[in-house]
Amino acid sequence: TRTLERIFIEERIYKRIEQKKTQEAVQEAVLTGFEPYRDQLLRDVSDEDVEHLLKIPIRRISLFDIEKNKSEIEEINANIKQVEYDLGHLTDYAIRTLKALKSELNADEHSRKTVIADFNTVNAREVAKRELDLRYDEETGYLGTEVRGGVLIDKVSEYDKILVIQKNGAYFCINVSERTLIGKEAAYIGLADKELLEDVVFTVIYQSKDTGRTGIKRTKLNTGFILNKSYELLPDPQNDVMRKLSTLPNAEVTITFKGSGRFNEQTFLFSDYRVKGAKAGGVMLTKREIASIKIKPAKLVEEPEMETASESLKRSFAESEQKQVEEKQEPPVLKEKKAKSRDEEEPSLFD
């Protein structure tokens, strides 16, 4: 197949325009000149093709090398066939290319720099950085990383979970989000991380609406949570009202009672009361009507470990067995002396 340029020059179609005086006549002469060779063309000759052919310099036409042009076209066609073959055999092409590159490169200068190793599975939650600001706006009740107002709660990652305790004693766990409506009555907001919560003791002082009695409950909330499920911190959610909530390890609490009297205050420590399970009940503090409750941080005193009943029983058996062994090992003479000594020291009831 000949190109347009080759046909234009070999068949001297350019000669047809020598006597033409208008652009339209020149255009028509070129198009007419290609009609006998239409079967050699892949498509019809366009106006753009004619414009390109007319721009060929006379010098280029006179020096046109037909054999060289033919050779270049054959080379291009051969390359096209090779590309089409390689596309159909990509694996063979890749191997052939890599081998060619390897043969061209110096082994010492281009030695392998990478190391073959196994890839370990990484948990995205474990490596995620806590660099998002979690804020709570009490005026709107919104919590999230896109909340602009309010107070900064903590730095979190997108995979963290948040523990929220409401002022009515209800608590729940939610995922970190851009904006979540949790209401305007949040008493505590923190990371629901099991390891972090292991060291946190929640102390709540509450009052019964029916009897007016005031109680205390200390607990940890480090067990598993079901997302968005509401739990109850107060022993009797329908009747109890939360007066104070604290996460201090220990504190001195001063309760002031209403009215006047000699004993108008009561003081105690958080550590006076045991830490129980989340579902456990509380301990009553007082039946009297309370005017105010003040909490002041106090130093945490570590209590000695309590001996369990089983441990106490084992210790008693061990001491008893040791005593029996010692008695068996005493010489008979020593035993007689001890017996005689006891007879001499103990007076008779009838003396």
Side-chain angles (χ1 to χ4, degrees), residues 201-301:
V201 176
F202 293 90
T203 301
V204 57
I205 299 175
Y206 59 91
Q207 189 172 28
S208 172
K209 290 186 287 186
D210 291 343
T211 64
R213 295 180 178 181
T214 301
I216 185 172
K217 176 181 175 180
R218 305 190 70 213
T219 186
K220 289 186 177 182
L221 302 178
N222 59 337
T223 55
F225 302 105
I226 298 176
L227 281 175
N228 303 312
K229 179 181 177 180
S230 182
Y231 300 87
E232 297 295 344
L233 183 60
L234 298 175
D236 186 358
Q238 304 300 324
N239 188 45
D240 294 336
V241 178
M242 186 162 64
R243 295 291 300 269
K244 294 287 183 179
L245 176 65
S246 175
T247 57
L248 290 171
N250 196 20
E252 181 182 274
V253 182
T254 301
I255 295 178
T256 303
F257 302 109
K258 289 185 178 181
S260 57
R262 184 177 178 183
F263 303 101
N264 205 36
E265 284 188 351
Q266 178 181 345
T267 302
F268 62 90
L269 296 173
F270 281 174
S271 57
D272 294 338
Y273 299 90
R274 294 177 58 188
V275 178
K276 300 181 179 180
K279 296 182 180 180
V283 178
M284 187 182 71
L285 293 173
T286 180
K287 298 178 181 180
R288 297 176 62 181
E289 194 174 359
I290 292 176
S292 65
I293 302 174
K294 295 181 181 179
I295 297 177
K296 182 173 66 174
K299 186 177 180 180
L300 183 63
V301 179

Side-chain angles (χ1 to χ4, degrees), residues 129-258:
K129 293 184 178 180
R130 287 173 172 160
E131 52 190 13
L132 301 174
D133 289 340
L134 181 70
R135 307 185 74 88
Y136 172 60
D137 189 344
E138 191 174 4
E139 294 184 0
T140 62
Y142 278 98
L143 172 73
T145 57
E146 294 297 327
V147 175
R148 299 305 174 191
V151 295
L152 177 64
I153 301 299
D154 207 339
K155 289 284 188 178
V156 298
S157 75
E158 59 182 312
Y159 299 105
D160 281 325
K161 292 179 175 55
I162 305 301
L163 174 65
V164 179
I165 302 177
Q166 302 284 24
K167 293 179 181 178
N168 63 0
Y171 65 95
F172 52 87
C173 180
I174 58 175
N175 283 323
V176 167
S177 65
E178 294 181 354
R179 285 170 64 89
T180 301
L181 183 63
I182 64 171
K184 304 178 182 180
E185 299 295 320
Y188 171 88
I189 302 172
L191 286 168
D193 186 290
K194 188 174 182 179
E195 294 182 359
L196 295 177
L197 290 176
E198 181 66 34
D199 299 325
V200 179
V201 176
F202 293 90
T203 301
V204 57
I205 299 175
Y206 59 91
Q207 189 172 28
S208 172
K209 290 186 287 186
D210 291 343
T211 64
R213 295 180 178 181
T214 301
I216 185 172
K217 176 181 175 180
R218 305 190 70 213
T219 186
K220 289 186 177 182
L221 302 178
N222 59 337
T223 55
F225 302 105
I226 298 176
L227 281 175
N228 303 312
K229 179 181 177 180
S230 182
Y231 300 87
E232 297 295 344
L233 183 60
L234 298 175
D236 186 358
Q238 304 300 324
N239 188 45
D240 294 336
V241 178
M242 186 162 64
R243 295 291 300 269
K244 294 287 183 179
L245 176 65
S246 175
T247 57
L248 290 171
N250 196 20
E252 181 182 274
V253 182
T254 301
I255 295 178
T256 303
F257 302 109
K258 289 185 178 181

